[in-house]
Amino acid sequence: MNILTVSPFAEKKIKQGKQLLLAEDFPNIAENNQLVYLYSQSKEFLGTGYLSSQNKGIGWFLSPKKQQLTVTYFQGLFEKAKARRQSYYANDLTTAFRLFNQDGDDFGGLTIDLYGDYALFSWYNVFIYSLKDIIVEAFQTVFPEVLGGYEKIRFKGLDFESDHLYGQEAADTFTILENGVTYEVFLNDGLMTGIFLDQHEVRDGLVNGLALGKSVLNMFSYTAAFSVAAAMGGAVETTSVDLAKRSRELSTAHFEANGFSMENHRLVVMDVFDYFKYAKKKGLFYDLIVIDPPSFARNKKRTFSANKDYHKLIAQSLDILSEYGTIIASTNAANMTVQQFKKQLRKGLGDVSADFVNLQQLPVDFAVNPNDPTSNYLKVYTIKVNK
Ligand code: SAH
């Protein structure tokens, strides 16, 4: 077994329970794509981990034991993961949720989502990808009811990013249920699937009261999932704004899957900053504005970084928010803390008084590592504005 001696600083982080190994804590590391036993400089055994560079980090701590990565090992992880999601299995109104989530389920670099009868595996680095045969074997014994699997490649170096992985093939598009709402999804068309499952509790809030009787503006709407949830929850009208042309047909599919005509549901293909200006000029007002930008985006006109620019979205929302309106402000920027996010929101609100009604983070199926706040990347504030 390869042995890796870690710095006192990295040792401290491991002992705090952090599992993601960051490049800055492991200077001069040459090894890649291998299992390692981690030792402190005083030769204390710290545990088993693996090295494999990915978008974020250079590897993962796995276990305080000397661990071999066998089918049995993954079966154990999957059984535990399945057991902690029993409430989702017991709910007939939801057929799509996350089955396995990285370090929250004690194996970073891997996520597995359930979409009805199919599973979607996302591989975040070369090392985990090299284990896929034993992982799929273990998965099939613990989840025999899943008919087939698909995979997404979330690291650089392969010439494809999506493929069928095992078992039966799903239809090109099919529907799943979430909180009783139907969404149309696709598992083998790029990295996206038509829905971001991590937002299901926020959508649940819209279905169950928050949107009732309201006019709703959904900014960065992608497939308009928030708008459809709001419509199901009794919103009188919705407007969904996204720059991507394809969002239009995908959004229509979600609405139609629930039997809505598009009469009260507008889909606008436009830069959100242009839409803010347009709506202000036209004197449009909305009771509820949902804002869910990417952490970072660059288009022909401008770049947007959630860390620096989020406050602008709030400030411009105020111009077109009805009296006593509500803003749902979401970010998935892992490098922004809750405090930093709140500061952006306060900056955007300026002198306007507002109640921060609640903060939602990842739901329980997106299990987080409680010792690493960066694993709980989602932050969603519901803000009642008193203007
Ligand atoms: N809120 C969506 C997910 C948003 S993903 C949901 O719940 O499903 C981010 C989206 O922002 C993408 O669809 C992208 O096309 C869009 N986008 C990025 N920059 C934009 C901009 N400046 N104006 C409008 N849409 C933008």
Side-chain angles (χ1 to χ4, degrees), residues 37-54:
Y37 286 161
L38 301 154
Y39 283 87
S40 72
Q41 286 182 348
S42 57
K43 307 245 172 343
E44 179 191 357
F45 176 70
L46 299 172
T48 307
Y50 74 88
L51 298 174
S52 193
S53 33
Q54 56 174 63

Side-chain angles (χ1 to χ4, degrees), residues 192 196 199 203 218-223 225-226 241-244 270-273 292-294 297 299:
M192 313 270 252
F196 287 100
Q199 295 278 12
R203 286 189 291 267
N218 179 5
M219 295 303 230
F220 306 93
S221 58
Y222 179 41
T223 62
F226 286 132
V241 182
D242 197 289
L243 200 53
M270 201 188 269
D271 186 308
V272 297
F273 288 100
D292 180 30
N299 65 37

Side-chain angles (χ1 to χ4, degrees), residues 266-284:
R266 265 178 301 279
L267 305 173
V268 182
V269 177
M270 201 188 269
D271 186 308
V272 297
F273 288 100
D274 292 334
Y275 190 80
F276 277 126
K277 274 191 229 146
Y278 165 86
K280 189 178 175 186
K281 206 167 85 194
K282 291 273 170 185
L284 302 179

Side-chain angles (χ1 to χ4, degrees), residues 220 243 293-299 302-306 309:
F220 306 93
L243 200 53
S295 322
F296 187 82
R298 191 194 302 264
N299 65 37
R302 54 175 71 87
T303 54
F304 172 85
S305 145
D309 302 317

Side-chain angles (χ1 to χ4, degrees), residues 89-149:
Y89 280 104
N91 177 358
D92 289 343
L93 296 179
T94 295
T95 62
F97 53 91
R98 180 149 290 190
L99 294 176
F100 192 89
N101 195 43
Q102 311 246 33
D103 44 341
D105 286 302
D106 288 328
F107 207 107
L110 171 68
T111 67
I112 309 172
D113 295 318
L114 184 69
Y115 285 86
D117 293 326
Y118 297 90
L120 180 65
F121 293 68
S122 296
W123 316 109
Y124 282 80
N125 58 59
V126 170
F127 183 76
I128 188 100
Y129 188 68
S130 74
L131 299 173
K132 78 174 181 178
D133 289 346
I134 66 164
I135 290 176
V136 169
E137 186 184 337
F139 182 83
Q140 286 182 276
T141 64
V142 179
F143 296 90
E145 70 284 5
V146 175
L147 301 180

Side-chain angles (χ1 to χ4, degrees), residues 143-161:
F143 296 90
E145 70 284 5
V146 175
L147 301 180
Y150 284 80
E151 63 180 350
K152 302 293 181 200
I153 311 298
R154 293 197 170 267
F155 57 88
K156 292 198 183 79
L158 299 187
D159 60 0
F160 66 101
E161 55 183 11

Side-chain angles (χ1 to χ4, degrees), residues 319-330:
D319 290 338
I320 57 169
L321 187 70
S322 312
E323 250 186 290
Y324 300 107
T326 301
I327 296 175
I328 296 180
S330 169

Side-chain angles (χ1 to χ4, degrees), residues 188-359:
N188 205 6
D189 186 358
L191 291 176
M192 313 270 252
T193 63
I195 193 160
F196 287 100
L197 295 178
D198 55 359
Q199 295 278 12
H200 64 80
E201 286 184 349
V202 179
R203 286 189 291 267
D204 196 21
L206 292 167
V207 173
N208 290 304
L210 210 50
L212 186 63
K214 293 188 175 155
S215 61
V216 176
L217 176 63
N218 179 5
M219 295 303 230
F220 306 93
S221 58
Y222 179 41
T223 62
F226 286 132
S227 309
V228 176
M232 287 296 274
V236 290
E237 55 166 16
T238 68
T239 300
S240 306
V241 182
D242 197 289
L243 200 53
K245 282 199 187 67
R246 194 171 172 221
S247 64
R248 190 183 275 279
E249 79 185 84
L250 299 174
S251 303
T252 308
H254 282 335
F255 275 108
E256 287 180 348
N258 292 283
F260 287 108
S261 81
M262 297 308 288
E263 210 175 317
N264 300 317
H265 304 291
R266 265 178 301 279
L267 305 173
V268 182
V269 177
M270 201 188 269
D271 186 308
V272 297
F273 288 100
D274 292 334
Y275 190 80
F276 277 126
K277 274 191 229 146
Y278 165 86
K280 189 178 175 186
K281 206 167 85 194
K282 291 273 170 185
L284 302 179
F285 286 95
Y286 300 92
D287 305 324
L288 174 63
I289 303 181
V290 185
I291 309 171
D292 180 30
S295 322
F296 187 82
R298 191 194 302 264
N299 65 37
K300 279 174 227 132
K301 277 200 205 155
R302 54 175 71 87
T303 54
F304 172 85
S305 145
N307 281 298
K308 288 204 293 266
D309 302 317
Y310 207 109
H311 66 99
K312 296 177 192 162
L313 296 170
I314 300 297
Q316 301 198 45
S317 295
L318 293 178
D319 290 338
I320 57 169
L321 187 70
S322 312
E323 250 186 290
Y324 300 107
T326 301
I327 296 175
I328 296 180
S330 169
T331 183
N332 59 7
N335 60 355
M336 200 176 359
T337 63
V338 168
Q339 287 71 24
Q340 287 165 333
F341 184 43
K342 200 166 187 181
K343 215 168 141 192
Q344 280 286 318
L345 301 178
R346 289 237 184 262
K347 183 172 175 189
L349 287 165
D351 297 337
V352 174
S353 100
D355 299 327
F356 285 66
V357 181
N358 68 28
L359 168 68

